[in-house]
Amino acid sequence: MFLKRGMLVLAMVGSATNAAWPCSCIGGQDVKDARKVADAVFIGTVIGAQELELKSKDGLEYFPVHVMRYTLRVERSFKGRMVADEVVVYTGLGGGDCGFRFTLNERFIVNGDRDAAMAEGSMADKPLYGRGIYWTNICTRTRLYDDDEVRELEVLH
């Protein structure tokens, strides 16, 4: 949990500046470990994308955070209760904030977290956490659809 919050704070700071801070994930997780720490693991197709500028609740407008809001049509769930056919996945823009770059109309295996540490200090016109809303980044096993990965998830399911 501490690691998840730390990554989100790093993502906030990294995306709020113009400096190109490198994003680094220490070690990779195998499918089993990644599934264990994720709140949800599912296959989904990206059907929508929107960049959002989040502003601090304390009114510090000179410190906005930019995130991407993706809408995915869920095909299959391996962990977590999918309450709808569509979910929202937030991530950073990429680069120094560890954001994952989704592509419209492509299928992905998503490892998502409900952790709203980044959202709690921000204001936005859309909810940033709640039912059917997840966060991900490049340090999770979120990736383009891969048959081998799906087979491993099926064994764990």
Side-chain angles (χ1 to χ4, degrees), residues 32-135:
K32 183 178 180 180
D33 289 341
R35 183 184 181 280
K36 186 177 180 180
V37 298
D39 291 319
V41 179
F42 59 91
I43 298 170
T45 300
V46 179
I47 59 173
Q50 177 184 17
E51 183 177 336
L52 299 178
E53 180 180 290
L54 310 180
K55 295 183 177 151
S56 173
K57 284 183 180 176
D58 63 7
L60 300 175
E61 296 200 20
Y62 57 86
F63 194 65
V65 174
H66 294 264
V67 296
M68 288 300 297
R69 178 185 194 271
Y70 293 99
T71 304
L72 282 82
R73 183 178 310 111
V74 177
E75 175 182 324
R76 182 172 180 193
S77 175
F78 295 99
K79 181 178 180 184
R81 184 174 164 200
M82 295 291 120
V83 295
D85 293 337
E86 294 179 5
V87 296
V88 170
V89 177
Y90 286 102
T91 190
L93 298 181
D97 67 4
C98 297
F100 185 90
R101 293 180 189 242
F102 287 95
T103 307
L104 280 171
N105 303 313
E106 292 285 336
R107 292 167 76 198
F108 290 87
I109 300 169
V110 179
N111 286 258
D113 296 313
R114 288 187 303 258
D115 193 326
M118 187 172 189
E120 290 171 356
S122 302
M123 293 187 313
D125 60 350
K126 298 180 191 262
L128 301 177
Y129 59 95
R131 183 174 285 182
I133 298 174
Y134 299 95
W135 288 80

Side-chain angles (χ1 to χ4, degrees), residues 1-21:
M1 183 61 122
F2 179 75
L3 179 61
K4 281 195 243 182
R5 289 190 189 277
M7 287 303 299
L8 288 173
V9 170
L10 178 61
M12 270 180 49
V13 173
S15 65
T17 67
N18 290 330
W21 294 353

